[in-house]
């Protein structure tokens, strides 16, 4: 186990890892990033040691102690490095509301996201409609604010923006445009992408699409 400093174990296409990268960058925290090269076939000994329960990324190792699960990591980062950029809302209600929307989105995208690229026909179309319905609900929550928390880029923004690098993949498989269907949401996406922390953490959407094609081939999905 790494015994000093800050180490992040991750995989390049994971939005949950991107969340942590963005938070660390916003806080100005120096960290060593370790990529899991063959996460689907064989996980590194360090990952298995750091997260023996779920054996998943991200894992943040701080002074030799592992912290798992992206939202748990975000809260840890905010509590440990308090003197820098604040991630969590100060007001308990706003904090609770952000957590609600994150859990709503995570639960939705886990199922629907995969169905949009792995299924066909009616199931794929249903997944697309559910996805757009969820984005429209988030648009209502966003309103005319630049960020979900108002003028401050924060927890909900950090949690949601990584998934935007998958939008191109969804569009290619389901033949639709997120921007045409949810223009306010895409305006928020573009606003977030202006931040150095976001542009640095998110991969090229075309590379994500190519990766999904490889995954489909590996899984035998036509």
């Amino acid at each position: 186990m790494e015994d000093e400093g800050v180490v992040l174990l991750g995989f390049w296409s994971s939005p949950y890892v991107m969340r942590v990268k963005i938070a660390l960058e916003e806080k100005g925290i120096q960290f060593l990033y370790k990529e899991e090269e063959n996460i689907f076939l064989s996980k590194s000994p360090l990952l298995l040691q750091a997260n023996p329960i779920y054996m998943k990324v991200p894992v943040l190792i701080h002074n030799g102690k592992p912290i798992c699960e992206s939202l748990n990591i975000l809260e840890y980062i905010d509590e440990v490095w308090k003197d820098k950029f604040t991630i969590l809302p100060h007001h308990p209600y706003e904090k609770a509301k952000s957590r609600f929307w994150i859990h709503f989105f995570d639960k939705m995208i886990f199922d629907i996201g995969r169905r949009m690229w792995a299924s066909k026909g009616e199931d794929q179309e249903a997944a697309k409609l559910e996805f757009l319905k969820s984005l429209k609900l988030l648009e209502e929550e966003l309103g005319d604010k630049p960020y979900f928390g108002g003028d401050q880029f924060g927890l909900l923004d950090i949690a949601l923006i990584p998934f935007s690098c998958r939008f191109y993949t969804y569009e290619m498989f389901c033949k639709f445009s997120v921007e045409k269907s949810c223009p306010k949401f895409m305006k928020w996406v573009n606003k977030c992408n202006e931040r150095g922390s976001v542009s640095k953490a998110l991969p090229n959407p075309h590379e994500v699409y190519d990766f999904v094609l490889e995954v489909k081939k590996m899984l035998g999905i036509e």
Side-chain angles (χ1 to χ4, degrees), residues 132-209:
L132 289 174
K133 180 181 178 181
S134 298
L135 289 194
K136 288 182 183 297
L137 289 172
L138 286 166
E139 270 193 329
E140 292 178 15
E141 175 63 22
L142 178 65
D144 294 321
K145 305 186 296 292
Y147 300 114
F148 279 95
D151 294 328
Q152 172 93 15
F153 180 74
L155 178 63
L156 187 50
D157 305 291
I158 292 172
L160 297 183
I161 191 59
F163 290 89
S164 65
C165 70
R166 296 185 173 188
F167 287 0
Y168 175 76
T169 297
Y170 302 152
E171 290 173 333
M172 289 299 99
F173 282 107
C174 297
K175 309 301 180 188
F176 75 107
S177 167
V178 176
E179 188 157 22
K180 286 183 179 179
S181 301
C182 304
K184 281 188 177 181
F185 195 84
M186 284 307 299
K187 183 179 179 181
W188 165 80
V189 168
N190 294 332
K191 176 75 174 175
C192 290
N193 277 316
E194 292 174 1
R195 303 183 73 88
S197 63
V198 175
S199 61
K200 187 175 180 179
L202 271 60
N204 186 306
H206 293 264
E207 292 179 359
V208 175
Y209 174 67

Side-chain angles (χ1 to χ4, degrees), residues 16 19 70-71 74-75 87-89 95-109 138 154-160 163:
Y16 305 101
R19 286 173 173 176
S70 64
L71 294 183
L74 294 185
E75 293 193 16
I87 296 173
L88 272 69
K95 193 181 297 183
K97 189 165 64 168
S98 292
R99 286 175 176 148
F100 168 83
W101 283 113
I102 293 168
H103 288 304
F104 162 81
F105 186 85
D106 282 357
K107 185 178 180 181
M108 177 275 296
I109 203 67
L138 286 166
L155 178 63
L156 187 50
D157 305 291
I158 292 172
L160 297 183
F163 290 89

Side-chain angles (χ1 to χ4, degrees), residues 19-153:
R19 286 173 173 176
V20 181
K21 285 183 176 180
I22 292 169
L24 291 170
E25 290 289 344
E26 288 287 347
K27 289 276 190 178
I29 301 165
Q30 291 188 342
F31 65 99
L32 175 64
Y33 176 69
K34 293 200 170 186
E35 176 81 0
E36 287 290 313
E37 298 294 342
N38 298 301
I39 198 164
F40 294 114
L41 301 176
S42 64
K43 297 171 183 180
S44 71
L46 182 56
L47 175 59
L48 296 177
Q49 182 185 3
N51 189 1
I53 306 299
Y54 295 118
M55 297 177 283
K56 292 180 179 180
V57 293
V59 178
L60 186 76
I61 303 174
H62 182 212
N63 294 329
K65 297 178 180 179
I67 303 97
C68 307
E69 300 294 301
S70 64
L71 294 183
N72 194 32
I73 295 172
L74 294 185
E75 293 193 16
Y76 177 86
I77 290 171
D78 209 37
E79 290 178 8
V80 172
W81 290 276
K82 292 181 179 179
D83 58 334
K84 300 183 179 181
F85 170 87
T86 301
I87 296 173
L88 272 69
H90 293 292
H91 196 282
Y93 174 72
E94 294 300 324
K95 193 181 297 183
K97 189 165 64 168
S98 292
R99 286 175 176 148
F100 168 83
W101 283 113
I102 293 168
H103 288 304
F104 162 81
F105 186 85
D106 282 357
K107 185 178 180 181
M108 177 275 296
I109 203 67
F110 181 80
D111 173 54
I112 293 174
R114 190 180 193 283
R115 285 165 55 202
M116 279 194 285
W117 61 260
S119 65
K120 292 182 178 180
E122 291 183 2
D123 186 54
Q124 186 182 60
E125 179 67 15
K128 180 193 78 174
L129 294 176
E130 289 178 57
F131 174 70
L132 289 174
K133 180 181 178 181
S134 298
L135 289 194
K136 288 182 183 297
L137 289 172
L138 286 166
E139 270 193 329
E140 292 178 15
E141 175 63 22
L142 178 65
D144 294 321
K145 305 186 296 292
Y147 300 114
F148 279 95
D151 294 328
Q152 172 93 15
F153 180 74

